């Protein structure tokens, strides 16, 4: 089974304080998890720890029954776990196609990579159209799509998307969630960090609320969407009418 189990992870940067403070979470294969929580809660830190970019101070991470904490980022990638950072990290002066090739670099099989890129072009014709353009000339939405597609070259089993809709116009956000829906249909396991909590939860099976470096709440996404406390804190719904507030 492709279950990812995060157990009692404690993590922080350099000699700084603990950001994750005993976080545990089980990610079941084939499901989409949306992680929400306030700024600075440690959402990106969690994703970086799983990706092997930050070594945890305590705890362990098991994937398919084997520990993966302590592996390097490229070794985690080899296991089929991909990470799409929120800054997209494309090579700005490389073309779309060159960026996709970079995604397949660790496969060390250029004909396989070319084949995968052709499949991606069929799935996302806009990338085929833009294949010879430098990444820096793309719109924000196209850059985000390229960044996701670059991870797809590896045919990951589990993909982690850190705030994929950040800074994008509403129409483009809709397209990104369309892309996420395609990944879900393909049976990928998805760990989605979203500041757009409503959209994220609407497009997920499970909702996880992370606060103060702990998993404070995990439920089916529809339940999280309808929980009054969560609505007030993260979904922009107020439990009191606005007039009551104005009258104070
Ligand atoms: N590279 C870093 N070095 C030091 N501190 C960092 C670094 N990245 C994040 N932090 C700190 O870790 C905390 C959690 O950050 P982060 O995981 O990015 O939160 P979130 O993604 O939930 O907004 C914040 O206080 C942030 O300042
Ligand atoms: Mg973040």
């Amino acid at each position: 089974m492709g279950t990812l189990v995060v157990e009692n992870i404690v993590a922080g940067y350099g000699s700084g304080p603990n950001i994750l403070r005993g976080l545990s979470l089980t990610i079941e294969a084939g499901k989409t998890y949306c992680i929400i929580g306030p700024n600075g809660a440690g959402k990106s830190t969690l994703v970086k720890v799983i990706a092997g970019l930050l070594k945890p101070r305590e705890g362990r991470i098991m994937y398919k029954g084997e520990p993966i904490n302590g592996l390097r980022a490229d070794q985690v990638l080899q296991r089929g776990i991909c990470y799409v950072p929120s800054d997209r990290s494309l090579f700005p002066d490389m073309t779309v196609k060159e960026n996709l090739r970079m995604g397949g670099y660790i496969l060390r099989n250029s004909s396989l990579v070319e084949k995968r890129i052709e499949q991606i072009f069929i799935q996302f014709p806009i990338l085929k159209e833009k294949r010879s353009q430098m990444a820096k000339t793309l719109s924000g939405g196209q850059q985000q799509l390229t960044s996701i597609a670059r991870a797809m070259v590896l045919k990951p089993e589990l993909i982690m998307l850190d705030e994929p809709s950040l800074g994008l116009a509403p129409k483009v956000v809709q397209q990104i969630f369309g892309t996420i829906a395609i990944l879900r249909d393909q049976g990928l396991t998805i760990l989605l960090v979203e500041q757009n909590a409503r959209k994220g939860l609407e497009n997920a099976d499970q909702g996880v609320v992370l606060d103060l470096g702990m998993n404070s709440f995990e439920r089916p996404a529809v339940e999280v969407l309808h929980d009054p406390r969560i609505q007030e804190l993260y979904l922009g719904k107020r439990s009191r009418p606005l007039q009551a507030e104005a009258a104070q």
Side-chain angles (χ1 to χ4, degrees):
M1 276 298 288
T3 308
L4 179 83
V5 184
V6 174
E7 283 176 5
N8 301 315
I9 289 294
V10 176
Y13 299 88
S15 55
N18 292 334
I19 304 296
L20 301 181
R21 306 191 296 177
L23 186 131
S24 296
L25 179 65
T26 297
I27 305 285
E28 285 175 27
K31 286 195 179 171
T32 296
Y33 291 73
C34 177
I35 300 185
I36 63 172
N39 255 337
K43 303 180 296 295
S44 296
T45 302
L46 168 65
V47 167
K48 284 186 228 167
V49 166
I50 296 171
L53 294 165
L54 179 67
K55 297 263 170 288
R57 292 170 177 166
E58 285 174 39
R60 55 177 202 170
I61 303 171
M62 305 290 287
Y63 188 55
K64 298 181 173 177
E66 284 177 33
I68 60 162
N69 52 287
L71 295 185
R72 292 189 313 265
D74 60 299
Q75 295 171 318
V76 175
L77 263 181
Q78 294 276 12
R79 305 280 172 114
I81 300 176
C82 273
Y83 160 58
V84 180
S86 54
D87 66 6
R88 289 149 209 173
S89 309
L90 294 173
F91 297 97
D93 295 315
M94 286 190 184
T95 66
V96 167
K97 188 156 188 187
E98 285 164 348
N99 269 282
L100 296 180
R101 281 197 193 115
M102 293 306 286
Y105 177 73
I106 64 161
L107 294 176
R108 302 191 180 281
N109 179 340
S110 58
S111 65
L112 177 66
V113 170
E114 293 303 311
K115 221 171 85 189
R116 298 246 177 110
I117 291 174
E118 286 309 314
Q119 289 167 352
I120 284 167
F121 284 162
I122 292 168
Q123 208 157 30
F124 304 109
I126 183 71
L127 296 182
K128 183 170 189 181
E129 195 183 302
K130 304 275 176 186
R131 65 189 179 282
S132 304
Q133 267 184 237
M134 277 192 237
K136 67 181 177 193
T137 69
L138 301 180
S139 70
Q142 291 163 354
Q143 289 188 13
Q144 185 56 260
L145 179 58
T146 305
S147 180
I148 294 172
R150 183 178 52 179
M152 296 308 291
V153 173
L154 293 175
K155 284 218 181 203
E157 297 173 358
L158 194 159
I159 189 164
M160 301 188 287
L161 305 168
D162 194 356
E163 309 224 7
S165 73
L166 192 67
L168 301 178
K171 205 182 117 195
V172 186
V173 169
Q174 203 48 51
Q175 291 169 358
I176 292 299
F177 279 102
T179 304
I180 293 170
I182 292 174
L183 306 184
R184 282 181 89 183
D185 288 345
Q186 290 181 354
L188 261 84
T189 310
I190 303 173
L191 210 136
L192 169 66
V193 174
E194 253 306 328
Q195 91 290 353
N196 190 336
R198 181 179 305 281
K199 270 252 155 290
L201 290 167
E202 282 170 358
N203 287 276
D205 301 298
Q206 287 290 112
V208 179
V209 181
L210 210 117
D211 208 348
L212 299 172
M214 315 254 287
N215 169 357
S216 56
F217 197 94
E218 188 194 342
R219 296 274 169 78
V222 279
E223 285 181 29
V224 180
L225 260 174
H226 294 113
D227 186 291
R229 288 167 301 169
I230 303 298
Q231 288 186 337
E232 186 170 24
L233 283 170
Y234 304 111
L235 298 167
K237 277 212 182 142
R238 290 162 182 272
S239 58
R240 297 173 295 172
L242 282 171
Q243 294 91 319
E245 196 167 74
Q248 280 180 351

